[in-house]
Amino acid sequence: MLHLVLFLVFGAICVAGAINLLVQSHPISSALSLVVVMASLAVEYLLLGAEFVAAVQVIVYAGAVMVLFVFVIMLLNAGVEERTKGSRVALILGIPGVLAGGLLVAWVLIERTGTATVGLGALPGFPKTIGNLLFHDFLLPFEVTSVLVLIAIMGAVVLASRPEPKNPEKES
Amino acid sequence: MNPTLPVGADYVRILPEIVLSIFGMAIMVLDPLVDEKKSQQLLGGLGLIGTLAGLVSTWIMAQSPGFAFWNMVQVDGFSVFFHVLVIAIALVLILTSYEYMAVQQLRAGEYYGLILFGLVGMCLMSSAVELVLIFISLEISSISTYILAGFRRRSATSSESSLKYFLLGSFATAFFLYGVAMMFGATGSTNIDAISAALNSGKVPLLAYVAMALMFVGLGFKVAAAPFHIWTPDVYEGAPAPVVGFMSTAPKAAAFAVLLRIIFEANAPGRFWLIWLSAVLSMTLGNVAALVQDNVKRLLAYSSIAHAGYILVAFAAKPELGAPAVMFYTAAYAAMNVGAFAVVSHLANENERYVTLENYAGLGRSSPILAGTLTIFLISLIGIPITGGFFAKFYVFSAALQSNLVWLTIIGVINSAIGAYYYLKIIVVMYMREAREEVPVLPIPLALRAALALTLAATVYLGVVPGRMLTFVQQSAQQLLQAEHTSAREQVGNAAVPRATQ
């Protein structure tokens, strides 16, 4: 029972943080609401019995990634973002569409599985199991991820480097 | 018990990916060491050797079919086909880029490196039988194309193209990933064989329908099928012309390979109307919008949406008829579209100045060779006999007819007729209209000649003697559809599987 209550409470905090992220107009406020989302997600993972994922969530996302986010925002000295009206179509079709899609998925999930809570450690979420999966069964995806990261770095180098205008007079 | 370490056969079965990564890294390391003037030739040449080595290693890989890395990767006729296809497309792309990069004065190093790394992703997409690996390789292929699209750094449209592609592409990937998660929830596995077993064993969970729909959104974006096609014209207009030829064929072919595996091998539930609707929308929207374009790159962008629609028609057909038709179509489309873009990128000249339809006026006189080759590619895109495009369309529509999809076939044929108009319009402009302004046509360098000859040969070969290709795709489609029966046996000790006959 306590599990379910905690789960619902942190779920509500998570959703509230996500909405606040979108509503805030200053990048720093958005980034800090993202921290709230990440941290409450970590608690949700913990309640689902995935203690390793929860720890990683806190260390990597709420910790490292968010620090980078905040650093970049502060270095760029980003100010309050401009408010645009946004497109009407998005407003008229988008919000009901998202609501309908969300309700459909929620209905399917409840219909199929019912609500149940999982005790801490009831599912195989131990670091040992995960390590075995990651470095044995999923060894190839794990290694291939390095190519993905390499491409991302190359992309950053290509797109962020200063273009060299060879023929300045032809530049338009 | 599975062996704890991968054995030799495991590595042989991903040999093309290993070879391509090694060449990609070699280019990356050599780039700062070589003189900038020579880098174009040297690194491009290295890229070319890399793709050739990739083809050779694909041949070696084809000698040992089976599973590798604990059911992550499956080598069969199907994956070999798509390996050869995407690597060959990249080979032609590199041949085309040689001159293009010099004319546009772009940096060479990362460009060729990214092509090879992107190929790693596309190759893995075609052989992966595990949704997690498919997702990662899909990301490799997508991210490298996002970057390649933005390579014309001095042009604002190129940056726009890259950014739009990136933002919408990430959004679509999220849909795919959500679908994968749902599929895991529905079947308890991310392995395609296991999913197929779970879905075929009685009642299909409702969640699997949602998962299927979400994954289709993600992959539909990658193949530019309507209604997920909005990005296509803008991205194709801004990206470098040879890259457009590449990204309208190679990542698409890989995405179609994934769709084939998910839809046919896993026997995805509730796919029919989803695909039917998307096919009709893609064909109609693509062809109708192409009618009013006067930028050749935009026109070909809409045409590629339409062609994605034709391919989707085959997905609605019966698996044993649809799968070979899809494979044949992707190959034929790759040959003609890469060829057409090779011509476009040669004519584009510095800063891609000459890409409107008007610039093609009088080309028949100023450069008969280019006009002639482009005409053949366009004829093939229309689907007129003696070209690959004809048989591709023929197999798709006959597969649809034999599956009793009469209405879909009628809509498809009407659309082909509409499509003929705008392709013929380019031919008419080239031969019958006088040039209003002088468009300089550079001499055609050797590499581009080779690229044009290769694509032309492939287009005509598929149009004149499609028999061998057809038997091959039918065999490999057969292997794909029977895969779930064999995998159960091989799951026991897959790494030590003896060399099965191909």
Side-chain angles (χ1 to χ4, degrees), chain B residues 59-329:
Chain B
W59 182 78
I60 297 171
M61 175 190 85
Q63 308 305 310
S64 63
F67 289 84
F69 287 96
W70 304 284
N71 288 324
M72 283 290 147
V73 162
Q74 184 186 13
V75 174
D76 51 8
F78 177 79
S79 52
V80 170
F81 173 84
F82 279 102
H83 270 74
V84 173
L85 182 62
V86 294
I87 297 177
I89 294 171
L91 195 149
V92 175
L93 164 72
I94 292 175
L95 285 173
T96 318
S97 307
Y98 240 54
E99 181 222 5
Y100 179 86
M101 299 297 280
V103 171
Q104 309 286 337
Q105 300 173 333
L106 297 175
R107 276 183 59 82
E110 291 92 356
Y111 180 81
Y112 296 110
L114 279 169
I115 292 172
L116 293 189
F117 284 129
L119 273 186
V120 174
M122 291 163 212
C123 287
L124 269 179
M125 275 163 85
S126 68
S127 56
V129 288
E130 161 72 44
L131 290 175
V132 174
L133 182 59
I134 288 178
F135 169 70
I136 292 174
S137 33
L138 183 72
E139 275 299 87
I140 294 177
S141 122
S142 310
I143 290 180
S144 67
T145 33
Y146 302 152
I147 302 162
L148 286 173
F151 234 89
R152 284 164 56 217
R153 294 291 314 285
R154 270 158 283 164
S155 144
T157 49
S158 183
S159 306
E160 179 198 346
S161 146
S162 179
L163 194 64
K164 272 190 180 161
Y165 198 17
F166 170 65
L167 289 176
L168 292 173
S170 320
F171 192 50
T173 316
F175 274 95
F176 181 78
L177 193 58
Y178 202 23
V180 172
M182 293 272 181
M183 198 48 113
F184 181 72
T187 60
S189 175
T190 49
N191 186 295
I192 289 185
D193 293 324
I195 289 173
S196 147
L199 291 181
N200 287 328
S201 66
K203 198 168 169 289
V204 176
L206 206 52
L207 204 54
Y209 290 96
V210 179
M212 189 49 226
L214 287 171
M215 287 204 274
F216 185 76
V217 172
L219 291 171
F221 175 89
K222 300 290 169 196
V223 301
F228 320 110
H229 66 286
I230 310 289
W231 57 279
T232 322
D234 287 349
V235 171
Y236 284 15
E237 188 187 354
V243 172
V244 181
F246 177 68
M247 71 188 188
S248 63
T249 50
K252 257 190 181 183
F256 275 122
V258 171
L259 257 184
L260 278 173
R261 278 213 197 269
I262 291 176
I263 283 185
F264 286 148
E265 190 178 336
N267 193 15
R271 61 180 183 247
F272 181 77
W273 285 109
L274 206 66
I275 288 170
W276 196 93
L277 208 65
S278 179
V280 169
L281 277 176
S282 310
M283 288 190 292
T284 317
L285 288 177
N287 278 320
V288 171
L291 291 176
V292 294
Q293 302 303 321
D294 54 4
N295 179 318
V296 176
K297 281 167 89 185
R298 277 185 93 85
L299 189 150
L300 287 172
Y302 281 108
S303 120
S304 93
I305 298 171
H307 282 276
Y310 299 134
I311 298 177
L312 282 175
V313 168
F315 276 95
K318 285 180 194 152
E320 66 276 15
L321 299 167
V326 170
M327 291 167 75
F328 193 93
Y329 205 114

Side-chain angles (χ1 to χ4, degrees), chain A residues 105 107-109 136-138 140-141 144-145 147-148 150-151 154-155 158-159 161 163-164 166-167 170, chain B residues 3-4 28 36 70 72-73 105 107 110 117 124 130 132 136 139-140 143 147 151 153 182 206-207 350:
Chain A
V105 171
W107 177 73
V108 167
L109 283 172
H136 183 265
D137 294 16
F138 287 82
L140 186 61
V144 169
T145 313
V147 178
L148 183 62
L150 190 62
I151 286 189
M154 279 176 91
V158 171
L159 296 181
S161 69
E164 317 133 42
K166 296 237 178 77
N167 307 29
K170 279 181 188 163
Chain B
T4 11
M28 223 175 86
E36 197 149 321
W70 304 284
M72 283 290 147
V73 162
Q105 300 173 333
R107 276 183 59 82
E110 291 92 356
F117 284 129
L124 269 179
E130 161 72 44
V132 174
I136 292 174
E139 275 299 87
I140 294 177
I143 290 180
I147 302 162
F151 234 89
R153 294 291 314 285
M182 293 272 181
L206 206 52
L207 204 54
E350 212 179 312

Side-chain angles (χ1 to χ4, degrees), chain B residues 12-20 50-63 83 87:
Chain B
V12 173
R13 284 168 192 155
I14 59 159
L15 193 63
E17 286 85 354
I18 297 176
V19 169
L20 289 169
T51 49
L52 288 173
L55 285 176
V56 172
S57 50
T58 305
W59 182 78
I60 297 171
M61 175 190 85
Q63 308 305 310
H83 270 74
I87 297 177

Side-chain angles (χ1 to χ4, degrees), chain B residues 311-357:
Chain B
I311 298 177
L312 282 175
V313 168
F315 276 95
K318 285 180 194 152
E320 66 276 15
L321 299 167
V326 170
M327 291 167 75
F328 193 93
Y329 205 114
T330 44
Y333 179 66
M336 55 206 187
N337 210 42
V338 171
F341 272 104
V343 177
V344 171
S345 50
H346 179 70
L347 289 175
N349 216 318
E350 212 179 312
N351 290 335
E352 299 218 344
R353 226 175 294 165
Y354 305 112
V355 286
T356 58
L357 204 52

Side-chain angles (χ1 to χ4, degrees), chain B residues 432-447:
Chain B
M432 315 229 170
R433 205 178 286 171
E434 287 296 321
R436 221 175 291 166
E437 68 171 314
E438 197 62 34
V439 176
V441 180
L442 302 169
I444 312 170
L446 191 65

